[in-house]
Amino acid sequence: MSVLAELGLAPVINAAGTVTRLSGGILAHEVSAAMAEAAGACFDMLEVQAAASRAIGAATGAEAGIVTGGASAALLLGAAACLAGLDPVAMNALPAAGARCEFIISRSQRNMYDRALEVAGGRIVEVGIPDRFSGAGVRDASVGEMAAAIGPRTAAVFWVAQPWSEPSLAEVVRVAHAAGVPVLVDAAAQLPPLANLRGFLEAGADLVAFSGGKAIGGPQASGILAGRRPLVASALLQMLDLDVPDQQFRLPPEFAGNTALPFLPRHGIGRSCKAGKEEVVGLLVALRRFVAEGDAARQARMLARLQAVQAAMGEVPSEIMDGPTPLLLLRCQDATAAARMEAALRVRRVHVNQGRMRDGVLVVHPAALAEADLVPLGQALAAAFASPDKAG
């Protein structure tokens, strides 16, 4: 009997994408093999993170980078770095609010993940009225409002990377840097395209957080924080096990620059954000694979999965929407019919993406599908479409 069977765990077909609630995606053999190899030995975690910084720097162009326990952990650590810098007194005080504790954000970019800023000790200051989303008008936050909100208590400007985000990153960077304030970017799910690994940093962002367990294909509990060396060093210090004598501790050259700490801080606000040796090594191998494959080959691989699902669906009407990651769309009569069909699929242990269900559309996302899932998924979709009220 397998371990999973002993534990009473049965897999699902994950056509929703690399979402955390469905355990993310499926690791390539090369990634899981690297994790198993790392699990068979012990390492100095400073050296492991230094190796990560070199690999992340090569992939992103960042001065430094670390692997964290997920993208939310990267945001928390990035916020802590903006709050405390390389001041061990400030690190030890978190999450108590210091003199500079505010994170400026466009109101239209608020989301459930920005709580990480507050956990670190930050206070969120919203700017603008997103009339374009409420339907009341066309305006959103302006760069002028952003500039006016920056003041002596501002620790950073927080920008959520989406194609529709306003003000633009370039505008935000301009006003933030003019005021001597860093910009922290949440780009957790903004891969592909591959160009985004470098694009936000090239646009001037000081710190960028990526998920490791989504498009990159790394372990689900992994993330990347990349950016300017002093800020990344601060984040690292606030995550590490620092239970060593002061005189024994030295930051590797990948993080230290010319900075010497007056004393070693206590375990930091981000201690729970750590990544183990297995996650770090697995993510670095996945990152190397992601960069090497490139956008065109990845898109073709995802498209082939969706075409196999379509073939197994028979006559069920569907369409493939092109994009960095192609998607398979099934249009139902209305939102109620879509909800009924989605519920029928869940009974069959099949999960589809619900992002457009209010429009009466169910979406099949290919990123977390195994090859063995494709035909059963198509058959389940056909059965549910034919008889959504009979889920057995």
Side-chain angles (χ1 to χ4, degrees), residues 2-84:
S2 73
V3 172
L4 296 180
E6 289 178 2
L7 293 172
L9 292 173
V12 300
I13 293 178
N14 179 6
T18 51
V19 294
T20 301
R21 65 183 175 81
L22 295 174
S23 74
I26 298 171
L27 297 181
H29 174 73
E30 185 181 352
V31 175
S32 56
M35 295 176 71
E37 183 180 353
C42 292
F43 305 88
D44 183 324
M45 287 306 296
L46 265 176
E47 294 179 358
V48 172
Q49 288 286 2
S53 185
R54 295 191 296 271
I56 291 168
T60 66
E63 292 179 6
I66 55 174
V67 177
T68 68
S72 183
L75 289 180
L76 191 158
L77 289 163
C82 294
L83 290 165

Side-chain angles (χ1 to χ4, degrees), residues 56 65-82 103 113 116-117 120 158 184-188 207-212 221-226 231-232 234-236 239 270 272-275 283:
I56 291 168
I66 55 174
V67 177
T68 68
S72 183
L75 289 180
L76 191 158
L77 289 163
C82 294
F103 288 82
Y113 293 98
L117 312 183
F158 182 58
L184 170 62
V185 172
D186 178 358
L207 288 171
V208 181
F210 295 104
S211 172
S222 68
I224 290 172
L225 182 66
L231 289 171
V232 175
S234 173
L236 177 66
M239 177 178 69
S272 59
C273 298
K274 69 178 183 181
L283 175 55

Side-chain angles (χ1 to χ4, degrees), residues 20 54 58 66 74 102 117 123 138 195 205 218-219 308 320 358:
T20 301
R54 295 191 296 271
I66 55 174
E102 294 179 351
L117 312 183
R123 303 290 182 268
V138 299
I320 292 178
R358 289 184 178 88

